[in-house]
Amino acid sequence: MKTGLLTAACVAALLAGGAFAQPAGGLPPIADDAPIFGSQMMTSQERIEQRDRMRAAKTLEEREKIRAEHHEQMVKRAKERGVTLPEEPPMRGGAMMGPGGGMGGGMGP
């Protein structure tokens, strides 16, 4: 009897923990220092507004649309200023990834 109660308590704790692990709205949060494509050509107010737009997005698809529109605007701005930027938006997380697909780390060489 005690084993069944203990098992049920463990299962309940695991299920409850999974619910708390999900970010609000199911989307990963946007950090205040998250990199923004073309940020060197933006004012600090424009960077704040871009992050706010990304945070306000309700779905990943909406975030991707905002990201693609922003990329297009930055490419246009770069051409006007004589700066070269990639034509395609970088893959999410790709610019910060290490050779193994992660953030690096490990025990060294």
Side-chain angles (χ1 to χ4, degrees), residues 44-70:
S44 59
Q45 184 61 36
E46 287 175 321
R47 288 190 289 275
I48 291 168
E49 290 169 2
Q50 176 64 11
R51 286 190 183 103
D52 288 346
R53 287 182 67 207
M54 293 292 284
R55 288 180 180 128
K58 305 269 190 268
T59 64
L60 286 175
E61 292 79 17
E62 190 176 345
R63 277 190 182 175
E64 290 302 324
K65 182 180 177 189
I66 292 167
R67 191 175 280 120
E69 289 170 355
H70 171 75

mmCIF file of all heavy atoms in Angstrom, residues 44-70:
data_model
loop_
_atom_site.group_PDB
_atom_site.id
_atom_site.type_symbol
_atom_site.label_atom_id
_atom_site.label_comp_id
_atom_site.label_asym_id
_atom_site.label_seq_id
_atom_site.Cartn_x
_atom_site.Cartn_y
_atom_site.Cartn_z
ATOM 1 N N SER A 44 19.348 52.492 -30.349
ATOM 2 C CA SER A 44 18.985 51.678 -29.179
ATOM 3 C C SER A 44 17.464 51.556 -29.074
ATOM 4 O O SER A 44 16.954 50.507 -28.686
ATOM 5 C CB SER A 44 19.578 52.268 -27.901
ATOM 6 O OG SER A 44 19.126 53.583 -27.698
ATOM 7 N N GLN A 45 16.741 52.594 -29.452
ATOM 8 C CA GLN A 45 15.271 52.536 -29.429
ATOM 9 C C GLN A 45 14.753 51.499 -30.428
ATOM 10 O O GLN A 45 13.831 50.749 -30.128
ATOM 11 C CB GLN A 45 14.663 53.910 -29.721
ATOM 12 C CG GLN A 45 13.153 53.939 -29.620
ATOM 13 C CD GLN A 45 12.641 53.589 -28.230
ATOM 14 O OE1 GLN A 45 13.242 53.941 -27.212
ATOM 15 N NE2 GLN A 45 11.534 52.877 -28.173
ATOM 16 N N GLU A 46 15.360 51.437 -31.602
ATOM 17 C CA GLU A 46 14.944 50.445 -32.607
ATOM 18 C C GLU A 46 15.205 49.027 -32.105
ATOM 19 O O GLU A 46 14.397 48.124 -32.338
ATOM 20 C CB GLU A 46 15.684 50.669 -33.924
ATOM 21 C CG GLU A 46 15.210 51.878 -34.689
ATOM 22 C CD GLU A 46 16.036 52.165 -35.928
ATOM 23 O OE1 GLU A 46 17.284 52.004 -35.881
ATOM 24 O OE2 GLU A 46 15.445 52.552 -36.948
ATOM 25 N N ARG A 47 16.327 48.818 -31.405
ATOM 26 C CA ARG A 47 16.620 47.483 -30.862
ATOM 27 C C ARG A 47 15.583 47.094 -29.805
ATOM 28 O O ARG A 47 15.115 45.967 -29.778
ATOM 29 C CB ARG A 47 18.044 47.448 -30.294
ATOM 30 C CG ARG A 47 19.108 47.459 -31.375
ATOM 31 C CD ARG A 47 20.498 47.187 -30.811
ATOM 32 N NE ARG A 47 21.020 48.280 -30.014
ATOM 33 C CZ ARG A 47 21.664 49.335 -30.499
ATOM 34 N NH1 ARG A 47 21.879 49.450 -31.797
ATOM 35 N NH2 ARG A 47 22.119 50.284 -29.712
ATOM 36 N N ILE A 48 15.218 48.038 -28.955
ATOM 37 C CA ILE A 48 14.193 47.779 -27.933
ATOM 38 C C ILE A 48 12.873 47.417 -28.609
ATOM 39 O O ILE A 48 12.206 46.443 -28.217
ATOM 40 C CB ILE A 48 14.028 49.001 -27.011
ATOM 41 C CG1 ILE A 48 15.266 49.173 -26.136
ATOM 42 C CG2 ILE A 48 12.762 48.878 -26.154
ATOM 43 C CD1 ILE A 48 15.331 50.503 -25.405
ATOM 44 N N GLU A 49 12.488 48.179 -29.628
ATOM 45 C CA GLU A 49 11.226 47.925 -30.323
ATOM 46 C C GLU A 49 11.228 46.572 -31.027
ATOM 47 O O GLU A 49 10.220 45.865 -31.016
ATOM 48 C CB GLU A 49 10.951 49.049 -31.327
ATOM 49 C CG GLU A 49 10.604 50.366 -30.652
ATOM 50 C CD GLU A 49 10.577 51.555 -31.596
ATOM 51 O OE1 GLU A 49 10.784 51.381 -32.824
ATOM 52 O OE2 GLU A 49 10.353 52.681 -31.105
ATOM 53 N N GLN A 50 12.369 46.178 -31.607
ATOM 54 C CA GLN A 50 12.458 44.876 -32.277
ATOM 55 C C GLN A 50 12.289 43.750 -31.266
ATOM 56 O O GLN A 50 11.561 42.789 -31.507
ATOM 57 C CB GLN A 50 13.784 44.746 -33.033
ATOM 58 C CG GLN A 50 14.018 43.398 -33.678
ATOM 59 C CD GLN A 50 13.035 43.046 -34.781
ATOM 60 O OE1 GLN A 50 12.261 43.876 -35.251
ATOM 61 N NE2 GLN A 50 13.059 41.809 -35.213
ATOM 62 N N ARG A 51 12.956 43.867 -30.122
ATOM 63 C CA ARG A 51 12.806 42.826 -29.086
ATOM 64 C C ARG A 51 11.371 42.781 -28.573
ATOM 65 O O ARG A 51 10.824 41.702 -28.332
ATOM 66 C CB ARG A 51 13.785 43.064 -27.948
ATOM 67 C CG ARG A 51 15.205 42.713 -28.315
ATOM 68 C CD ARG A 51 16.133 42.718 -27.122
ATOM 69 N NE ARG A 51 17.480 42.441 -27.554
ATOM 70 C CZ ARG A 51 18.426 43.368 -27.675
ATOM 71 N NH1 ARG A 51 18.180 44.619 -27.379
ATOM 72 N NH2 ARG A 51 19.637 43.036 -28.095
ATOM 73 N N ASP A 52 10.745 43.951 -28.417
ATOM 74 C CA ASP A 52 9.349 43.985 -27.963
ATOM 75 C C ASP A 52 8.428 43.310 -28.975
ATOM 76 O O ASP A 52 7.501 42.588 -28.597
ATOM 77 C CB ASP A 52 8.892 45.423 -27.714
ATOM 78 C CG ASP A 52 9.507 46.030 -26.460
ATOM 79 O OD1 ASP A 52 10.068 45.271 -25.641
ATOM 80 O OD2 ASP A 52 9.436 47.268 -26.307
ATOM 81 N N ARG A 53 8.663 43.536 -30.271
ATOM 82 C CA ARG A 53 7.855 42.879 -31.313
ATOM 83 C C ARG A 53 8.026 41.367 -31.226
ATOM 84 O O ARG A 53 7.053 40.617 -31.346
ATOM 85 C CB ARG A 53 8.275 43.358 -32.710
ATOM 86 C CG ARG A 53 7.846 44.769 -33.039
ATOM 87 C CD ARG A 53 8.247 45.158 -34.440
ATOM 88 N NE ARG A 53 7.486 44.367 -35.400
ATOM 89 C CZ ARG A 53 7.898 44.073 -36.620
ATOM 90 N NH1 ARG A 53 9.062 44.493 -37.066
ATOM 91 N NH2 ARG A 53 7.141 43.359 -37.429
ATOM 92 N N MET A 54 9.259 40.917 -31.039
ATOM 93 C CA MET A 54 9.514 39.477 -30.942
ATOM 94 C C MET A 54 8.834 38.885 -29.709
ATOM 95 O O MET A 54 8.255 37.804 -29.768
ATOM 96 C CB MET A 54 11.017 39.204 -30.905
ATOM 97 C CG MET A 54 11.734 39.550 -32.198
ATOM 98 S SD MET A 54 11.269 38.458 -33.550
ATOM 99 C CE MET A 54 12.209 37.010 -33.097
ATOM 100 N N ARG A 55 8.895 39.604 -28.596
ATOM 101 C CA ARG A 55 8.255 39.123 -27.367
ATOM 102 C C ARG A 55 6.734 39.081 -27.497
ATOM 103 O O ARG A 55 6.084 38.246 -26.878
ATOM 104 C CB ARG A 55 8.647 40.012 -26.197
ATOM 105 C CG ARG A 55 10.081 39.830 -25.759
ATOM 106 C CD ARG A 55 10.414 40.727 -24.588
ATOM 107 N NE ARG A 55 11.794 40.521 -24.192
ATOM 108 C CZ ARG A 55 12.686 41.489 -24.035
ATOM 109 N NH1 ARG A 55 12.340 42.747 -24.219
ATOM 110 N NH2 ARG A 55 13.927 41.205 -23.694
ATOM 111 N N ALA A 56 6.169 40.000 -28.279
ATOM 112 C CA ALA A 56 4.715 40.072 -28.431
ATOM 113 C C ALA A 56 4.168 38.996 -29.366
ATOM 114 O O ALA A 56 2.968 38.729 -29.357
ATOM 115 C CB ALA A 56 4.319 41.455 -28.951
ATOM 116 N N ALA A 57 5.043 38.365 -30.158
ATOM 117 C CA ALA A 57 4.599 37.328 -31.093
ATOM 118 C C ALA A 57 3.975 36.174 -30.318
ATOM 119 O O ALA A 57 4.468 35.780 -29.262
ATOM 120 C CB ALA A 57 5.773 36.836 -31.930
ATOM 121 N N LYS A 58 2.906 35.641 -30.847
ATOM 122 C CA LYS A 58 2.169 34.564 -30.176
ATOM 123 C C LYS A 58 2.636 33.170 -30.584
ATOM 124 O O LYS A 58 2.416 32.209 -29.872
ATOM 125 C CB LYS A 58 0.671 34.686 -30.484
ATOM 126 C CG LYS A 58 0.093 36.032 -30.131
ATOM 127 C CD LYS A 58 -0.447 36.035 -28.724
ATOM 128 C CE LYS A 58 -1.234 37.278 -28.421
ATOM 129 N NZ LYS A 58 -0.462 38.350 -27.840
ATOM 130 N N THR A 59 3.263 33.055 -31.774
ATOM 131 C CA THR A 59 3.699 31.749 -32.270
ATOM 132 C C THR A 59 5.123 31.859 -32.830
ATOM 133 O O THR A 59 5.608 32.956 -33.127
ATOM 134 C CB THR A 59 2.785 31.246 -33.399
ATOM 135 O OG1 THR A 59 2.896 32.149 -34.515
ATOM 136 C CG2 THR A 59 1.334 31.153 -32.946
ATOM 137 N N LEU A 60 5.754 30.699 -32.992
ATOM 138 C CA LEU A 60 7.076 30.688 -33.624
ATOM 139 C C LEU A 60 6.996 31.186 -35.063
ATOM 140 O O LEU A 60 7.899 31.870 -35.537
ATOM 141 C CB LEU A 60 7.670 29.280 -33.584
ATOM 142 C CG LEU A 60 8.177 28.806 -32.230
ATOM 143 C CD1 LEU A 60 8.633 27.356 -32.309
ATOM 144 C CD2 LEU A 60 9.304 29.680 -31.735
ATOM 145 N N GLU A 61 5.893 30.861 -35.743
ATOM 146 C CA GLU A 61 5.727 31.315 -37.126
ATOM 147 C C GLU A 61 5.675 32.835 -37.189
ATOM 148 O O GLU A 61 6.250 33.447 -38.081
ATOM 149 C CB GLU A 61 4.464 30.714 -37.748
ATOM 150 C CG GLU A 61 4.528 29.212 -37.972
ATOM 151 C CD GLU A 61 4.290 28.388 -36.710
ATOM 152 O OE1 GLU A 61 3.752 28.937 -35.712
ATOM 153 O OE2 GLU A 61 4.660 27.199 -36.702
ATOM 154 N N GLU A 62 4.991 33.437 -36.233
ATOM 155 C CA GLU A 62 4.915 34.902 -36.190
ATOM 156 C C GLU A 62 6.299 35.503 -35.916
ATOM 157 O O GLU A 62 6.677 36.508 -36.518
ATOM 158 C CB GLU A 62 3.919 35.338 -35.112
ATOM 159 C CG GLU A 62 3.584 36.816 -35.157
ATOM 160 C CD GLU A 62 2.530 37.212 -34.136
ATOM 161 O OE1 GLU A 62 1.843 36.330 -33.572
ATOM 162 O OE2 GLU A 62 2.393 38.422 -33.901
ATOM 163 N N ARG A 63 7.063 34.871 -35.030
ATOM 164 C CA ARG A 63 8.430 35.343 -34.771
ATOM 165 C C ARG A 63 9.282 35.246 -36.031
ATOM 166 O O ARG A 63 10.060 36.139 -36.323
ATOM 167 C CB ARG A 63 9.085 34.534 -33.653
ATOM 168 C CG ARG A 63 8.721 35.009 -32.285
ATOM 169 C CD ARG A 63 9.585 34.346 -31.240
ATOM 170 N NE ARG A 63 9.184 34.772 -29.914
ATOM 171 C CZ ARG A 63 9.696 34.273 -28.803
ATOM 172 N NH1 ARG A 63 10.629 33.338 -28.848
ATOM 173 N NH2 ARG A 63 9.288 34.708 -27.637
ATOM 174 N N GLU A 64 9.148 34.154 -36.761
ATOM 175 C CA GLU A 64 9.928 33.985 -37.987
ATOM 176 C C GLU A 64 9.561 35.042 -39.016
ATOM 177 O O GLU A 64 10.424 35.556 -39.725
ATOM 178 C CB GLU A 64 9.743 32.583 -38.561
ATOM 179 C CG GLU A 64 10.397 31.485 -37.741
ATOM 180 C CD GLU A 64 11.900 31.687 -37.565
ATOM 181 O OE1 GLU A 64 12.570 32.163 -38.497
ATOM 182 O OE2 GLU A 64 12.401 31.370 -36.475
ATOM 183 N N LYS A 65 8.282 35.384 -39.097
ATOM 184 C CA LYS A 65 7.840 36.422 -40.034
ATOM 185 C C LYS A 65 8.441 37.774 -39.643
ATOM 186 O O LYS A 65 8.955 38.513 -40.495
ATOM 187 C CB LYS A 65 6.313 36.502 -40.048
ATOM 188 C CG LYS A 65 5.774 37.515 -41.027
ATOM 189 C CD LYS A 65 4.261 37.562 -41.011
ATOM 190 C CE LYS A 65 3.778 38.652 -41.961
ATOM 191 N NZ LYS A 65 2.362 38.900 -41.836
ATOM 192 N N ILE A 66 8.400 38.106 -38.351
ATOM 193 C CA ILE A 66 8.981 39.358 -37.860
ATOM 194 C C ILE A 66 10.473 39.373 -38.145
ATOM 195 O O ILE A 66 11.031 40.377 -38.601
ATOM 196 C CB ILE A 66 8.704 39.524 -36.345
ATOM 197 C CG1 ILE A 66 7.217 39.746 -36.104
ATOM 198 C CG2 ILE A 66 9.534 40.658 -35.757
ATOM 199 C CD1 ILE A 66 6.798 39.616 -34.647
ATOM 200 N N ARG A 67 11.138 38.244 -37.887
ATOM 201 C CA ARG A 67 12.581 38.142 -38.108
ATOM 202 C C ARG A 67 12.914 38.341 -39.589
ATOM 203 O O ARG A 67 13.850 39.064 -39.938
ATOM 204 C CB ARG A 67 13.066 36.772 -37.617
ATOM 205 C CG ARG A 67 14.554 36.625 -37.541
ATOM 206 C CD ARG A 67 14.962 35.288 -36.941
ATOM 207 N NE ARG A 67 14.850 35.332 -35.485
ATOM 208 C CZ ARG A 67 14.072 34.538 -34.759
ATOM 209 N NH1 ARG A 67 13.342 33.617 -35.329
ATOM 210 N NH2 ARG A 67 14.026 34.645 -33.452
ATOM 211 N N ALA A 68 12.141 37.725 -40.477
ATOM 212 C CA ALA A 68 12.396 37.846 -41.920
ATOM 213 C C ALA A 68 12.159 39.279 -42.407
ATOM 214 O O ALA A 68 12.950 39.810 -43.200
ATOM 215 C CB ALA A 68 11.503 36.873 -42.693
ATOM 216 N N GLU A 69 11.078 39.922 -41.923
ATOM 217 C CA GLU A 69 10.808 41.315 -42.305
ATOM 218 C C GLU A 69 11.932 42.228 -41.828
ATOM 219 O O GLU A 69 12.378 43.116 -42.557
ATOM 220 C CB GLU A 69 9.474 41.781 -41.708
ATOM 221 C CG GLU A 69 8.267 41.139 -42.353
ATOM 222 C CD GLU A 69 6.976 41.426 -41.595
ATOM 223 O OE1 GLU A 69 7.026 42.058 -40.502
ATOM 224 O OE2 GLU A 69 5.917 41.011 -42.086
ATOM 225 N N HIS A 70 12.392 41.996 -40.605
ATOM 226 C CA HIS A 70 13.484 42.802 -40.051
ATOM 227 C C HIS A 70 14.756 42.613 -40.874
ATOM 228 O O HIS A 70 15.457 43.581 -41.180
ATOM 229 C CB HIS A 70 13.732 42.427 -38.589
ATOM 230 C CG HIS A 70 14.956 43.054 -38.020
ATOM 231 N ND1 HIS A 70 15.010 44.384 -37.676
ATOM 232 C CD2 HIS A 70 16.187 42.547 -37.775
ATOM 233 C CE1 HIS A 70 16.223 44.657 -37.232
ATOM 234 N NE2 HIS A 70 16.948 43.564 -37.282
#
